[in-house]
Amino acid sequence: MSDTPEAAPATDSAPDSAPDVATEAWSGVHRGPLREGEWVRLLDGKGRRHNICLEAGKTFHTNRGGMSHDDLIGREEGFTITSTSGGEYLVFRPLLSEFVVSMPRGAAVVYPKDAAQIVALADIFPGAHVVEAGVGSGALTCSLLRAVGPFGRVTSYERREEFADVARRNVEQFFGAPEGQTHPAWELTVGDLAEALPASGARADRIILDMLAPWECLDAAADSLWPGGIVCAYVATTTQLSRFVETVRLHGGFTEPQAWESLVRDWHVEGLAVRPGHKMIGHTAFLVTARRMAPGEKAPMKKRRPAPGAYGPDYTGPRPAGVPVDLPE
């Protein structure tokens, strides 16, 4: 008698069709059968991906033959379809993390690993008012809108009209807004946050700075944040990182800034062959967060002595109060 457990018998019975997610949730997610006008993601055996918008009567062509959209419409996601030349494709609705890495781009996108860190460690909560400077292609905006919900607010500022147009189309596509409408919690302004935010008189719970020189917006951010609010900067280089952190310290109205980056490595798992994968999402950006102090209050000064030479004669950036030029002995 074999000790190997028997596999559970396969079943062809399909569960009842799931009710759709409430439209009022503005989640960008649907349940139930695939509908005309929805986007789906096709994945072949080699990992190649295709995103298509379902339209009755149309055919999608690949190097492995064509597939009729009518053969997808009306089916529950999570099935395999065979093209006219025998290619097999897995069919699902795209996740947000999948959508943002394949969306049309005007500017570089904030990758899912960084967007997740921003939502979690900047503590984006339902009902929050989040101000975003540098909307890019709208990738982070989608995550922020998901996090604040329909009763929160996301106010985005973008200096370049062409980037704002791309972001607007991507956000509308993901959330499935009817033509001419957008997410009710989102306001997109073409302009410079450093000028437009103070002029608006708005107060915010969180401010996200995704731009080349976020230190230029720090005063405006400080004036607009509620006490206890969080400023978060997304910067690509160590020089930007240093300049922003030291500017926050010099300002004096924030807690000690925290800086970090995240690296994501996949793993290959086949029986006893378990090893790190050959692909890795390495450095994409540095993240920095700091909390706003109450008016007139100062955070305790750092007690740890700076590293030798940290603020030596070659250092030309902002210098915290009380830190002298560190001259060699």
Side-chain angles (χ1 to χ4, degrees):
M1 182 175 180
S2 171
D3 292 332
T4 304
E6 294 184 2
T11 176
D12 292 327
S13 61
D16 294 336
S17 181
D20 198 6
V21 179
T23 303
E24 296 80 8
W26 281 89
S27 64
V29 175
H30 290 289
R31 301 193 197 102
L34 299 175
R35 306 167 179 81
E36 185 175 7
E38 278 194 283
W39 287 79
V40 295
R41 187 176 180 87
L42 308 180
L43 180 69
D44 69 11
K46 292 186 176 181
R48 289 176 293 215
R49 298 170 292 274
H50 307 277
N51 293 331
I52 63 172
C53 182
L54 295 177
E55 298 182 44
K58 290 195 67 174
T59 300
F60 177 68
H61 296 278
T62 74
N63 58 356
R64 298 297 304 277
M67 289 163 282
S68 171
H69 289 209
D70 293 338
D71 292 336
L72 280 66
I73 296 172
R75 297 185 63 177
E76 294 277 357
E77 62 179 316
F79 62 91
T80 300
I81 188 171
T82 303
S83 65
T84 53
S85 296
E88 290 190 326
Y89 293 85
L90 193 61
V91 183
F92 278 98
R93 293 181 173 100
L95 303 175
L96 173 56
S97 59
E98 296 170 334
F99 173 77
V100 298
V101 297
S102 58
M103 63 166 49
R105 301 185 186 185
V109 301
V110 175
Y111 274 79
K113 74 179 183 70
D114 295 318
Q117 295 266 309
I118 291 170
V119 168
L121 297 179
D123 197 35
I124 311 297
F125 58 91
H129 179 203
V130 180
V131 172
E132 174 192 24
V135 71
S137 297
L140 179 60
T141 309
C142 291
S143 292
L144 295 177
L145 287 168
R146 270 270 192 89
V148 303
F151 302 112
R153 290 169 59 199
V154 174
T155 305
S156 302
Y157 293 90
E158 174 55 56
R159 292 174 175 174
R160 298 179 60 173
E161 180 76 50
E162 63 270 28
F163 288 173
D165 290 339
V166 172
R168 188 179 293 109
R169 289 193 296 269
N170 284 333
V171 171
E172 290 174 355
Q173 177 182 321
F174 178 75
F175 287 102
E179 188 172 352
Q181 297 185 27
T182 189
H183 196 295
W186 190 37
E187 180 183 355
L188 175 59
T189 299
V190 178
D192 190 338
L193 176 141
E195 300 173 357
L197 183 57
S200 72
R203 302 300 297 273
D205 299 293
R206 307 289 186 262
I207 295 182
I208 315 299
L209 304 176
D210 174 14
M211 54 202 308
L212 289 176
W215 49 88
E216 295 177 353
C217 294
L218 189 63
D219 286 338
D223 292 342
S224 298
L225 276 172
W226 292 109
I230 296 175
V231 64
C232 176
Y234 175 93
V235 293
T237 69
T238 54
T239 51
Q240 291 172 300
L241 174 64
S242 175
R243 179 75 178 269
F244 183 75
V245 167
E246 298 297 352
T247 303
V248 172
R249 287 182 178 142
L250 183 61
H251 182 279
F254 291 89
T255 58
E256 174 67 13
Q258 302 295 313
W260 77 96
E261 68 172 334
S262 62
L263 311 175
V264 177
R265 181 173 68 180
D266 64 340
W267 278 72
H268 172 91
V269 181
E270 287 182 346
L272 296 178
V274 181
R275 56 170 175 75
H278 296 307
K279 294 186 296 183
M280 180 177 182
I281 304 176
H283 174 75
T284 49
F286 299 105
L287 293 170
V288 185
T289 56
R291 297 195 72 177
R292 184 71 170 103
M293 299 291 294
E297 296 293 326
K298 298 286 185 181
M301 291 184 63
K302 283 182 60 178
K303 299 298 185 183
R304 183 173 58 83
R305 181 180 174 85
Y311 296 98
D314 293 332
Y315 174 74
T316 58
R319 189 179 303 275
V323 176
V325 176
D326 186 7
L327 297 174
E329 296 182 1

